[in-house]
Amino acid sequence: MAIELLVTDRNLTFLGDPITGWTRLECELNFNAPASGTVGMPARPEYMELLQPGNRLVVIRDGSIWCAGPMEVPQEYAWDLAANAGVGTVTVNFTDDLARIAGYLTYPEPTLAFASQTTTSDVVRKLTATNAETIIRTLVSENCGPTALAARQIEQLVLDTVAGVGTAQTVSTRFEPLLDACRKAAVADGLGFRTRQDGGQIKFGVYAPQDLSSSARFSDGLGNLRSVRFTMSAPTATSELVQGGNDPKDDPANTRVYVEVASAHAADWYRVEKLIEKSGTDDDSEGELTQAGTLALGSDNPQASLSTVTVDTEDLRAGRDYGLGDQVAVVLPTGLQITDVVQTIRLEATPDDGELVTTVVGNNDKTTMTRTVWTIRDLAYRLGQIERR
């Protein structure tokens, strides 16, 4: 195991010496969501000087950056006389730079400050007739990246090399959490997006996850699977009934448009209907109503929830041979093979015990995409639709 911890300021300038006295590290990388991590260490004065608001933590594993981003809780200090704790201990909660992007909303008019936004309630930022990658890059660039207002720009954030992925999409957004808008554009093509530190820059990029199910395989026989928990659950909806139409105050006739987006899983399970409100979209000519239904199916489809504890081997290593969003295969001792998306990669390490890598494949209660989170997001989305009317 070779793990190194470094601290930078918000401009990515390295501060002090590497932290060598850490006692336990936990770090989760999440697909299309910010990372989360904690690290504990003795509260030495030289460390406490580095653990300040605005600074970032960089986790390097085997010479490559595993995670880099701001400290959300720079200092959680504890000292106990009875435990003969010396200078005490300090725990740091950190994330990756995607969390900075998650802190922004989509302005309907990104070139204007918030106080200067048009007072018309139904003004939205609409990106159309271009591929999903371009839409996501544009949303980030104009709200917190290189083309954003100076006051909204994230230090050292640039756009990564164009990957050339995604199909033509249309996305409308208005004061929506920026990452939610990005996920909305990414869902149809299953795209991923991420930040990475490269020298003195934070690069935001979009990518197409790979189907590695033939090469990235986990099983007891291969010696890279320690434990597995598997749950198969029924769909919460198989027919997303999307209701669009004009705003009633602008259209006395209250013209409605209806689009049904059906799941292929209905044949295996049963029909379950769910109404999706998309007022303000007067037709499906640009695919916005269909997109809303497709997005909803992502959380309503039957879930093969799979949590695995894996072991890196010379032949298969997290971050090198597979990554977030990639499709991998897990062969259960029963003989059933599950192929699904890598949602989370978790690194746990101590100087004495070494490291353990855990992957979460598919939807699972241990990921940020829990059913509760989806419910909250759905509620927020519906409230946003109401606010737009």
Side-chain angles (χ1 to χ4, degrees):
M1 177 186 68
I3 292 179
E4 188 176 19
L5 303 182
L6 301 168
V7 176
T8 78
D9 63 16
R10 66 180 64 233
N11 291 304
L12 278 62
T13 301
F14 286 98
L15 306 173
D17 296 323
I19 296 174
T20 58
W22 59 276
T23 56
R24 181 173 181 81
L25 170 71
E26 298 180 359
C27 182
E28 284 190 357
L29 306 181
N30 298 307
F31 181 51
N32 289 356
S36 63
T38 62
V39 61
M41 65 192 75
R44 298 173 185 168
E46 62 270 26
Y47 294 163
M48 301 299 280
E49 185 179 351
L50 298 176
L51 307 180
Q52 299 297 324
N55 286 349
R56 301 167 63 256
L57 189 71
V58 180
V59 179
I60 298 176
R61 181 191 184 212
D62 295 336
S64 299
I65 295 179
W66 178 266
C67 181
M71 303 179 197
E72 296 183 304
V73 181
Q75 297 184 15
E76 184 178 333
Y77 177 74
W79 180 86
D80 188 343
L81 175 63
N84 192 24
V87 295
T89 60
V90 62
T91 300
V92 179
N93 292 354
F94 63 94
T95 182
D96 60 9
D97 291 305
L98 198 61
R100 291 286 307 275
I101 296 174
Y104 285 77
L105 301 178
T106 56
Y107 278 18
E109 298 174 285
T111 60
L112 301 179
F114 178 74
S116 301
Q117 295 290 307
T118 300
T119 56
T120 304
S121 64
D122 60 355
V123 170
V124 299
R125 179 70 171 103
K126 191 169 188 176
L127 298 105
T128 186
T130 187
N131 69 34
E133 178 187 12
T134 301
I135 290 175
I136 296 169
R137 289 167 61 92
T138 300
L139 285 169
V140 170
S141 181
E142 67 187 16
N143 283 287
C144 62
T147 60
L149 295 172
R152 302 185 76 206
Q153 291 182 9
I154 295 175
E155 299 87 353
Q156 314 307 320
L157 178 64
V158 300
L159 297 181
D160 211 336
T161 305
V162 174
V165 296
T167 58
Q169 305 285 340
T170 295
V171 170
S172 298
T173 181
R174 177 178 183 271
F175 296 125
E176 179 181 15
L178 179 52
L179 285 193
D180 283 358
C182 291
R183 280 187 282 262
K184 187 164 60 177
V187 65
D189 299 312
L191 298 182
F193 48 82
R194 60 194 169 197
T195 56
R196 64 184 183 94
Q197 180 174 332
D198 183 10
Q201 294 180 318
I202 300 168
K203 294 185 175 181
F204 174 86
V206 182
Y207 66 100
Q210 305 177 74
D211 184 352
L212 302 176
S213 56
S214 61
S215 59
R217 300 172 59 82
F218 301 95
S219 71
D220 178 51
L222 292 173
N224 58 8
L225 184 64
R226 287 192 177 178
S227 67
V228 59
R229 289 180 178 272
F230 172 67
T231 303
M232 182 181 295
S233 58
T236 54
T238 59
S239 289
E240 306 291 351
L241 309 179
V242 187
Q243 177 178 260
N246 297 319
D247 194 314
K249 72 176 183 297
D250 299 325
D251 182 9
N254 195 20
T255 304
R256 285 295 192 181
V257 180
Y258 302 99
V259 171
E260 179 176 353
V261 180
S263 169
H265 296 288
D268 297 327
W269 294 86
Y270 35 74
R271 182 179 178 90
V272 184
E273 298 176 343
K274 178 180 176 182
L275 182 65
I276 305 296
E277 176 64 38
K278 189 70 175 174
S279 294
T281 303
D282 53 10
D283 59 50
D284 197 37
S285 60
E286 295 175 335
E288 290 184 88
L289 299 180
T290 298
Q291 182 188 62
T294 302
L295 185 65
L297 280 181
S299 58
D300 293 333
N301 271 332
Q303 301 293 335
S305 303
L306 187 68
S307 177
T308 65
V309 177
T310 66
V311 181
D312 276 351
T313 66
E314 289 299 321
D315 297 326
L316 189 61
R317 188 174 179 85
R320 184 193 70 185
D321 302 307
Y322 67 92
L324 295 170
D326 290 336
Q327 287 197 30
V328 299
V330 179
V331 182
L332 306 185
T334 61
L336 177 66
Q337 176 175 305
I338 307 298
T339 300
D340 213 326
V341 171
V342 176
Q343 292 286 356
T344 299
I345 302 176
R346 178 181 176 86
L347 171 65
E348 300 178 59
T350 66
D352 296 331
D353 299 330
E355 64 180 40
L356 175 67
V357 175
T358 304
T359 60
V360 176
V361 182
N363 192 21
N364 184 274
D365 288 345
K366 294 183 179 179
T367 75
T368 57
M369 299 299 181
T370 64
R371 190 64 61 183
T372 300
V373 172
W374 278 113
T375 300
I376 293 172
R377 282 189 181 162
D378 184 56
L379 177 60
Y381 173 77
R382 290 169 183 267
L383 289 174
Q385 296 297 310
I386 294 173
E387 289 296 323
R388 284 175 51 184
R389 294 186 213 173

